[in-house]
């Protein structure tokens, strides 16, 4: 089943499910403001990042496969009074329906891990590169789990937010996380496919980027081998 249908099933609980995820907003907004915009956000979801970017005065083109997630993003942008700065388009991030060339492309909240293998990740990175002006930047975050994280969560239903449960099933052989989410009526399972930092670095360079920075957290501390990787890549001039 495509991730389109998978996210359609949880669009109504996506925001309450991810309500505690706020640590990344400031970095993405700062990058957007520094770029001057417009920004293309691939896998824009419900606008969790795109709407704060628009509220900072930057135009955002948001691409997502899921019509239900895009409908939530539209509601959010309207509610916050920034709909005129948010341009939502339904499509696959590997073939984004975007003719514009921009100074910044972002893929927040681990969305590139929906790409099942290195070939698909490379397709996505190349698609991002094709949207950038010379000298433009791609910023995205991904993770690779620690052994402790796997041991603490594997196969357990945990109440992540009131009434919203999450279960992680880790497959170390294929490096796949099957993440299940359920609310009172909604439920879905989708897969995330992680890579090591050196593997990402290789793919990023193969897609034609130069790596400007690799952070280990959204406060821009350097990456020192932890779970989170925040990549800042540049398309050479
Ligand atoms: C974890 S959510 C991230 C949403 C948003 N960027 C955020 O930070 O909250 C992942 C999103 O990726 C979208 N997605 C997954 N595969 C996709 C693809 N191939 N093309 C476009 N969107 C995709 C899903 O529909 C979902 O909205």
């Amino acid at each position: 089943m495509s991730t389109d249908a998978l996210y359609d099933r949880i669009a109504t609980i996506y925001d309450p499910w991810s309500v505690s995820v706020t640590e990344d907003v400031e970095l993405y907004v700062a990058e957007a403001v520094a770029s001057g915009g417009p920004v293309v956000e691939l896998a824009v979801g419900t606008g969790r990042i795109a709407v704060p970017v628009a509220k900072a005065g930057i135009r955002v083109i948001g691409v997502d496969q899921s019509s239900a997630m895009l409908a939530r993003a539209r509601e959010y942008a309207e509610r916050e009074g920034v709909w005129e700065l948010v341009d939502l388009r339904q499509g696959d991030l590997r073939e984004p329906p975007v003719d514009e060339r921009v100074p910044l492309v972002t893929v927040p909240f681990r969305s590139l891990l929906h790409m099942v293998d290195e070939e698909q990740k490379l397709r996505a990175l190349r698609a991002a590169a094709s949207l950038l002006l010379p000298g433009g930047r791609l910023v995205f975050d991904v993770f690779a789990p620690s052994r402790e994280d796997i041991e603490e969560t594997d196969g357990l239903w945990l109440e992540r937010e009131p009434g919203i449960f999450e279960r992680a099933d880790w497959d170390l052989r294929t490096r796949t996380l099957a993440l299940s989410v359920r609310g009172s009526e909604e439920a879905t399972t989708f897969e995330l496919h992680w890579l090591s930092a050196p593997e990402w670095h290789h793919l990023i360079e193969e897609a034609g980027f130069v790596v400007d920075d690799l952070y280990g957290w959204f406060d821009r501390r350097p990456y020192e081998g932890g779970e989170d990787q925040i990549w800042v890549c540049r398309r050479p001039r």
Side-chain angles (χ1 to χ4, degrees):
M1 188 179 293
S2 77
T3 48
D4 174 12
L6 296 175
Y7 274 91
D8 277 355
R9 286 202 211 152
I10 56 155
T12 52
I13 58 164
Y14 181 84
D15 289 330
W17 172 50
S18 59
V19 69
S20 65
V21 184
T22 54
E23 62 273 6
D24 52 355
V25 179
E26 194 181 321
L27 180 141
Y28 283 110
V29 170
E31 291 291 333
V33 170
S35 79
V39 177
V40 173
E41 183 181 335
L42 299 175
V44 69
T46 58
R48 191 182 63 82
I49 302 282
V51 170
V53 166
K55 286 176 79 173
I58 303 296
R59 185 166 169 254
V60 188
I61 300 168
V63 174
D64 203 283
Q65 260 184 348
S66 163
S67 54
M69 295 291 274
L70 289 174
R72 310 298 291 194
R74 178 178 183 144
E75 282 168 21
Y76 184 22
E78 286 176 343
R79 204 164 59 240
E80 294 296 323
V82 290
W83 175 237
E84 75 285 355
L85 287 175
V86 179
D87 177 350
L88 299 174
R89 304 181 191 178
Q90 188 170 11
D92 193 307
L93 64 85
R94 288 161 291 194
E95 289 176 35
V98 178
D99 293 326
E100 295 88 336
R101 294 298 171 259
V102 296
L104 178 67
V105 174
T106 61
V107 199
F109 206 10
R110 307 164 163 191
S111 301
L112 281 179
L113 298 189
H114 285 305
M115 303 293 107
V116 293
D117 55 22
E118 294 199 19
E119 190 187 330
Q120 296 309 312
K121 287 177 175 74
L122 186 57
R123 264 187 78 192
L125 291 169
R126 286 195 169 127
S130 75
L131 302 177
L132 283 169
L133 293 165
R137 306 224 286 182
L138 165 67
V139 182
F140 69 96
D141 62 274
V142 289
F143 79 98
S146 67
R147 189 154 286 280
E148 299 82 64
D149 193 20
I150 293 172
E151 282 168 7
E152 279 168 23
T153 59
D154 191 36
L156 301 174
W157 280 106
L158 302 171
E159 190 168 17
R160 168 136 179 180
E161 297 296 337
I164 303 178
F165 295 81
E166 184 183 286
R167 173 182 160 143
D169 289 285
W170 304 92
D171 184 334
L172 279 170
R173 191 184 58 79
T174 60
R175 291 192 287 172
T176 299
L177 162 63
L179 190 62
S180 303
V181 185
R182 63 175 161 82
S184 51
E185 286 165 16
E186 313 80 351
T188 197
T189 299
F190 46 75
E191 293 188 344
L192 298 171
H193 309 270
W194 72 87
L195 294 179
S196 67
E199 288 168 323
W200 274 112
H201 202 152
H202 176 74
L203 286 182
I204 288 164
E205 289 186 345
E206 198 158 326
F209 289 104
V210 172
V211 173
D212 276 348
D213 287 297
L214 170 57
Y215 302 124
W217 191 240
F218 297 97
D219 58 6
R220 300 182 191 262
R221 73 184 71 157
Y223 177 74
E224 287 174 351
E227 289 187 33
D228 294 281
Q229 303 164 32
I230 297 112
W231 291 92
V232 180
C233 318
R234 182 170 34 88
R235 189 193 144 177
R237 287 182 192 279

